[in-house]
Amino acid sequence: QLRQLFGSAVPAFPPKFYLAMTKSMADERRSQLEQYLQNVTLDSNITSSDVFIGFFRKLQQDTFKIQTQRAFLDVYLADGSNIRLDIQTSDTAERILEVTLYKMGLSREFIKYFSLFFFQDHDDGALSVVKKVAEFELPYVSLQSMKELHCKLGIRKWYMDPSLDMLLMDCRASLNLLYMQAIQEVKRNWVKPTEGQMQELEFLQKNANKAKFLELIREMQFYGYVRLDPCICDYPEAGCSADIYVGNNEINCCIKLPTNQTKEVSFKINRLRSWQVTFLGATKDGEEDTLELRFEYNDSGTWQWIILYTKQAFLLSSCLKKMISEQMMKAAKEGQEMEIKVPESTKNSKKSSIQQKQVIHSGFISRKRFLVRPNEDDCVFEKIRDEDL
């Protein structure tokens, strides 16, 4: 059905095995279907189509045996308050986001700057953003399947370039959302103000000067970044631990070396060529599933793979895609402006340069195949019976 609608933009569907499948063949089939789904979801035109949404809605509801019915869903804001919605269990994240922001009085034109996320509030005060909710995902169903993680559904801004704040400052609802998130990130130690800056922020917060507060915080280290939970990386050597901040066209890693020395490294997005997310199965103690994100990076003229072992690999992947998308939009806009000023004889070469840059920067998520069998809760197709594959 997707091929009929979108033609060659849709990758070929993995062929079926028509003879009895062995266990390894069934695992291979699941892996192929997972990879197919990841490839298809790269195209927003496909994921917003009725055919795709209908398929994915049925898949989620059938997998977790949740029928369409009325339910209540709490959507949390960064200040800890929540908005309770009267929904259908089959409502998509796109629908729930629109309804929530409408209730808050946000202008429709600004909805695209926000998204739904699953997050965890830890007893020690730490905040973990688990993942961005896909527009076609059913948040109610996902929350039911993640009960053991004690996740909440919340709204956060969804752009990686802090300067985009300026587009939202004149809308009261969006200003409030940005302000609440900024305060949260200061309290949770995501942003790194100096002692003097912290005093200024406290003064502005006390006087409820939201616009000035946001103007000041944009100057501070890691504002507008997404902070990941501490993880393991293989750079500059295997077994290093790292605190990771991603935003403003970089992956910033504060790496603790085996010698207990620390090293801060910034991986610039314009030197990154591709990346992939992989399930590695359960950890040795069996308590937690392991994911890795590896990206191909140009370090001093040499391409090399950098590996991060983090349960937030899909969140990091979403952030990388967003940064590249923003870069491409910015380059396209600058190219249009340049066309007005550049003489006719040089227009074609300018366009060619921009197009080439976009190709180099485009990120592609693929699933690398390992011999380790993925944990069943990680894979969309894992709970489908072998005969249905």
Side-chain angles (χ1 to χ4, degrees):
Q1 289 178 299
L2 291 175
R3 277 262 168 147
Q4 291 175 354
L5 286 173
F6 299 101
S8 60
V10 180
F13 196 79
K16 270 197 168 188
F17 293 108
Y18 288 98
L19 300 177
M21 286 192 294
T22 64
K23 181 178 178 297
S24 62
M25 292 168 68
D27 288 344
E28 175 68 9
R29 174 68 173 165
R30 289 189 178 94
S31 177
Q32 291 174 349
L33 291 171
E34 286 284 335
Q35 186 174 3
Y36 172 82
L37 186 60
Q38 287 192 44
N39 291 340
V40 166
T41 55
L42 291 174
D43 190 333
S44 60
N45 291 323
I46 294 176
T47 56
S48 61
S49 68
D50 291 339
V51 171
F52 182 87
I53 291 173
F55 163 76
F56 206 82
R57 177 185 284 120
K58 185 176 187 304
L59 177 63
Q60 291 175 89
Q61 290 185 284
D62 289 352
T63 299
F64 299 105
K65 297 179 174 57
I66 296 178
Q67 297 180 342
T68 299
Q69 59 187 13
R70 183 182 174 187
F72 292 101
L73 182 68
D74 290 326
V75 180
Y76 287 83
L77 307 181
D79 66 350
S81 63
N82 69 282
I83 298 173
R84 173 156 288 195
L85 301 179
D86 187 348
I87 66 160
Q88 294 290 312
T89 55
S90 58
D91 283 342
T92 62
E94 181 180 30
R95 168 68 177 164
I96 288 170
L97 179 66
E98 288 178 354
V99 171
T100 306
L101 293 178
Y102 175 79
K103 282 179 172 286
M104 296 186 66
L106 187 78
S107 300
R108 191 172 188 84
E109 63 189 289
F110 296 140
I111 292 178
K112 63 184 178 182
Y113 295 105
F114 296 91
S115 187
L116 294 174
F117 293 82
F118 292 123
F119 70 94
Q120 297 168 315
D121 272 321
H122 299 289
D123 294 338
D124 61 1
L127 172 70
S128 295
V129 179
V130 177
K131 80 179 192 78
K132 177 185 176 294
V133 186
E135 290 184 350
F136 53 82
E137 194 170 345
L138 310 185
Y140 181 88
V141 174
S142 294
L143 279 174
Q144 297 306 305
S145 69
M146 299 165 65
K147 276 186 175 180
E148 69 281 0
L149 298 178
H150 305 291
C151 287
K152 296 179 180 179
L153 181 68
I155 289 179
R156 300 181 65 82
K157 66 181 182 183
W158 182 229
Y159 50 87
M160 310 304 295
D161 180 356
S163 68
L164 294 177
D165 278 5
M166 299 304 297
L167 301 176
L168 307 176
M169 300 295 284
D170 293 333
C171 171
R172 182 178 178 182
S174 58
L175 177 66
N176 286 337
L177 284 168
L178 295 181
Y179 180 66
M180 285 187 287
Q181 185 171 328
I183 290 176
Q184 180 196 55
E185 292 179 2
V186 171
K187 288 182 177 178
R188 302 302 180 97
N189 202 31
W190 282 30
V191 183
K192 304 290 186 181
T194 64
E195 185 177 343
Q197 288 173 328
M198 191 66 198
Q199 291 175 355
E200 290 185 69
L201 289 177
E202 290 172 348
F203 175 79
L204 293 170
Q205 184 180 351
K206 184 177 180 180
N207 290 278
N209 194 332
K210 300 176 183 179
K212 285 288 186 182
F213 185 98
L214 290 169
E215 181 182 334
L216 175 61
I217 201 172
R218 276 195 294 274
E219 302 172 3
M220 299 180 188
Q221 187 182 25
F222 298 138
Y223 173 70
Y225 287 58
V226 173
R227 182 178 181 178
L228 304 187
D229 295 345
C231 68
I232 303 298
C233 69
D234 73 341
Y235 184 92
E237 55 185 291
C240 295
S241 61
D243 289 328
I244 297 177
Y245 294 81
V246 54
N248 202 20
N249 297 322
E250 69 167 341
I251 304 172
N252 186 284
C253 301
C254 183
I255 299 171
K256 186 175 181 180
L257 303 172
T259 58
N260 285 330
Q261 295 176 307
T262 58
K263 178 179 182 179
E264 186 169 338
V265 181
S266 174
F267 298 105
K268 301 299 183 183
I269 197 72
N270 60 359
R271 295 170 66 183
L272 186 151
R273 182 160 63 182
S274 63
W275 69 91
Q276 57 193 32
V277 176
T278 306
F279 288 110
L280 300 180
T283 53
K284 292 181 180 179
D285 55 16
E287 293 182 358
E288 195 172 75
D289 300 316
T290 306
L291 295 171
E292 73 164 33
L293 184 142
R294 57 172 59 206
F295 58 91
E296 196 175 9
Y297 191 75
N298 191 328
D299 187 5
S300 302
T302 302
W303 290 100
Q304 68 177 103
W305 287 96
I306 310 294
I307 304 176
L308 303 174
Y309 300 95
T310 169
K311 62 184 179 181
Q312 294 162 298
F314 285 114
L315 173 64
L316 177 53
S317 177
S318 296
C319 292
L320 294 177
K321 283 195 289 184
K322 192 66 174 178
M323 286 191 291
I324 289 172
S325 173
E326 290 173 0
Q327 270 199 349
M328 292 172 68
M329 290 178 65
K330 186 175 182 179
K333 183 178 179 181
E334 290 174 353
Q336 290 172 356
E337 292 173 353
M338 286 293 291
E339 283 182 23
I340 299 173
K341 302 175 183 178
V342 176
E344 188 70 30
S345 60
T346 60
K347 281 184 182 179
N348 291 335
S349 61
K350 179 65 182 176
K351 287 183 182 178
S352 175
S353 173
I354 292 169
Q355 290 170 353
Q356 183 183 20
K357 186 178 180 183
Q358 291 176 356
V359 171
I360 292 171
H361 288 179
S362 61
F364 177 78
I365 306 173
S366 62
R367 177 171 177 162
K368 184 181 176 187
R369 298 173 188 171
F370 276 68
L371 296 177
V372 180
R373 183 173 180 270
N375 183 275
E376 64 175 19
D377 290 330
D378 287 331
C379 299
V380 172
F381 294 95
E382 189 65 41
K383 296 186 179 180
I384 296 178
R385 297 172 301 175
D386 290 356
E387 57 267 30
D388 293 332
L389 291 170

